[in-house]
Amino acid sequence: MEQRLVIYNTLSRKKEVFKPLHAPNVGMYVCGPTVYGAPHLGHARPAITFDILFRYLKHLGYKVRYVRNITDVGHLEHDADEGDDKIEKKARLEQLEPMEIAQHYANSYHAAMDALNVLPPSIEPRATGHIIEQEELVNEILKNGYAYESNGSIYFDIEKYNRKHRYGILSGRNLDDVINNSRALEGVEEKHNQADFALWKKAQPEHIMRWPSPWSDGFPGWHCECTAMGRKYLGNHFDIHGGGMDLIFPHHECEIAQAVASQGDQMVHYWMHNNMITINGQKMGKSLGNFITLEQFFKGTHESLSQAYSPMTIRFFILSAHYRGTVDFSNEALIASAKGFDRLMTGIADIARVPVSSESDEAVKQFVGELRQKCYDAMNDDLQTPTVISNLFEACHVINSLLDHKARISATDLADLADTMHLFALDILGLKSEKGINNDAREASYGKVVDMVLALRAKAKQNKDWTTSDQIRDALAEAGFEVKDTKDGVTWKLNK
């Protein structure tokens, strides 16, 4: 059955059927990290969100070119920043080359993404490797009359642009409000008005990273890199541009303005944005100083953490909420995610121990027959990963019933169930077992023996021989096997 993917387009403020411009090819650009600090939970959410989209589009048969940039050295971090960027500032403090700082934190980011099982993008361009393209973009905007030079810097003329086009089309902001809410910054009297944003900045003497241009030795503005690199690798028009909701304004709004001012129309068909990770209702981020690094999560070394949380627990935690909903950090939520992830991985592992019958019970057959499309329906509805997880939990419930001999399943239906759970849990949601290879092998080899012992325990319980029942459970626990009596039956696993 052909799947019909629907995604929420921030530009139109509604869900739309996804129709690639040049099927089966799909072009997708996502704003990546600014590498001046350790990767934190806020970095994990967009990476995982668009990793899911990348995986699912590929599963549907599209050939996806996924571009995710790295903002390294020499750029403004925000329109309100004048002079040094954060990487240069850190380089001075640590007496290192700016590129050394950028490379160190880029390496940290990649290591964290690998731990979270985030697939690498097709192309990962760096801002400093595309200065020429950014200068060309600035020059096109100047030639078309939507920018002006002032003391060697180039600024985008928002008021002039807004006479013919609409500045605020993505964020819904009114230009008068933008201008009125733009505070005057020291040293930027050279702007026509405070809302104009920098396309190129003349470097002050203390600015380490600088490049020659027709206007001055300087560096590109905050927004240029994504417009220039998106166009270079995906063309003048491409399918999807993603990022966090905090980038809608001003970054993505300015990207649209730059594209329209340079080429006459905007480049992107679908704009997609994930919501924020919050702590006590406040956005988590380096700029606010309330972030927890991913390494601290993995090791449990932050004062706000009650324990360490594995990479897959973090991934499961993020996928347990829809990407457009907020996720508020708490130890309780993460502990629940750890249990949920363990339950799902245990269910998948337990499939190998399910006894096969000549035919399935009608209810089991119907469930297995509907499960795959239910998961597809959830993914097709703007990537409803919480619903996918809920469906997979239902499958775990059925598996426990089968293990407890409360239901029957045929070999064909069991293979279908296993294939569906592997497809959606492992391939599309990107979850993976965190047990060691040796432990998995030991658990598989012990399976029949443990099942036989548990059958003896079940018989003891049936005879109300509670002493023998408890002795078997305790002996298994001493050997490293965790036995649980649930409403669906008995489950077991080998602890690490």
Side-chain angles (χ1 to χ4, degrees), residues 2-5 7 16-28 57 60-64 237-240 269-270:
E2 185 177 351
Q3 304 304 321
R4 183 172 176 267
L5 174 62
I7 56 178
E16 299 178 7
V17 176
F18 177 65
K19 296 179 180 179
L21 296 169
H22 306 290
N25 299 300
V26 172
M28 180 169 76
L57 288 171
L60 293 179
Y62 294 113
K63 184 178 179 181
V64 186
H237 303 96
F238 58 89
D239 298 296
I240 298 168
H269 190 182
Y270 303 94

Side-chain angles (χ1 to χ4, degrees), residues 279-330:
I279 297 181
N280 298 321
Q282 186 181 38
K283 174 197 165 188
M284 177 183 287
K286 287 197 289 283
S287 60
L288 297 171
N290 65 348
F291 65 96
I292 304 173
T293 70
L294 290 170
E295 184 179 17
Q296 288 172 327
F297 273 106
F298 301 159
K299 294 182 178 179
T301 54
H302 192 278
E303 60 182 10
S304 298
L305 301 174
S306 62
Q307 63 179 67
Y309 299 101
S310 72
M312 286 302 101
T313 294
I314 299 298
R315 188 177 179 100
F316 190 90
F317 170 65
I318 288 172
L319 295 178
S320 295
H322 187 247
Y323 77 91
R324 288 192 289 113
T326 56
V327 174
D328 198 50
F329 158 80
S330 71

